[in-house]
Amino acid sequence: MTSSDETLQAYLDGNLDSETCKALEAAVEADPALEHRLITLDPFAPALKEIFEPLPGEDRLGSLAIPPKIETGQASPKYGPLALVAVVAGLAAFGMTFWLTRPDALNWREQVAIYQALYSPETISQLDTAPDVLDAQFARAEAKLGRSLQREKLAELPGLELKRAQILSLGGTPLVQIVFADPEGLPIAFCILPDDASSAKKGVTRETLSGLATAHWGDGKYGYMLVGGDSVSDLEQNLGVLTDLFQS
């Protein structure tokens, strides 16, 4: 199967029909070169690979799952009724404790920060920033959001190099992530989410999430978030420009 970069990007953005997706996935499994091209287009893939590489392989997991063998003649453990009641009571107590202390669902800003925390300079250093590539990325993102993303203005933000615009999905709602590199190559992201409950018009809120500085605000139609760096001061240089550009 021959696939253009546009087809691969449409797959990453979730814009292919199910039949084409299945055909592409089968082709990727059979063609390492095609798999490499797909990974190159998705900066998140290398980060995920780094996370899961330390995990034990299937052969190791299989050996861990085998229960210890009881030698012939060794007494089998026996549990009386009182012991069984104690086990059941313990499980019930654990379940109740988990239910009462379970964490609340993460809001979209927390989820974005977790995602962003996986990025490194290497994640974005090899992104294709050719004008025609960025043109296509921004066109897709603007069509998905139904609004201009002010690409010319974003490209002029001081101290930041525009690297990419991509479409993510949060509970079925499109979330556009615009990625920049700061002077040290560290990733900074500007994210836009439409129709979010937190998009009510409000001023900027600054906080640290997943170890990253963040600033977020809303204009009544969209929620906005700038994330990256160790300190909110790292974001201040461009925060005022962004809030002026992205207000209804």
Side-chain angles (χ1 to χ4, degrees), residues 44 105-118 168-171 175 191 193 209-210 225:
F44 195 44
L106 299 176
N107 61 47
W108 76 274
R109 298 180 303 278
E110 292 169 324
Q111 294 180 63
V112 166
I114 291 171
Y115 181 99
Q116 184 69 15
L118 295 174
L168 307 175
S169 178
L170 192 65
L175 185 151
C191 300
L193 182 72
L209 298 173
S210 294
M225 179 178 181

Side-chain angles (χ1 to χ4, degrees), residues 6-60:
E6 289 72 18
T7 300
L8 296 177
Q9 187 62 57
Y11 172 79
L12 292 171
D13 294 342
N15 294 331
L16 293 183
D17 59 78
S18 59
E19 184 175 342
T20 306
C21 277
K22 291 179 181 178
L24 179 58
E25 288 166 356
V28 167
E29 288 183 7
D31 186 350
L34 184 59
E35 180 185 21
H36 177 73
R37 286 176 55 207
L38 186 64
I39 290 174
T40 300
L41 288 171
D42 182 7
F44 195 44
L48 286 177
K49 183 179 180 182
E50 290 178 7
I51 292 171
F52 289 110
E53 274 183 344
L55 297 180
E58 186 175 342
D59 55 340
R60 175 60 177 154

Side-chain angles (χ1 to χ4, degrees), residues 196-214:
D196 178 63
S198 67
S199 66
K201 195 164 187 176
K202 60 184 180 183
V204 178
T205 299
R206 299 164 176 81
E207 58 185 335
T208 299
L209 298 173
S210 294
L212 296 176
T214 73

Side-chain angles (χ1 to χ4, degrees), residues 69-125:
K69 181 179 179 181
I70 299 177
E71 300 296 336
T72 304
Q74 182 179 344
S76 300
K78 295 182 180 179
Y79 303 97
L82 290 178
L84 181 60
V85 169
V87 171
V88 172
L91 291 174
F94 171 79
M96 182 60 70
T97 301
F98 175 79
W99 178 257
L100 293 175
T101 62
R102 71 194 190 283
D104 295 331
L106 299 176
N107 61 47
W108 76 274
R109 298 180 303 278
E110 292 169 324
Q111 294 180 63
V112 166
I114 291 171
Y115 181 99
Q116 184 69 15
L118 295 174
Y119 276 60
S120 70
E122 291 74 22
T123 310
I124 62 174
S125 63

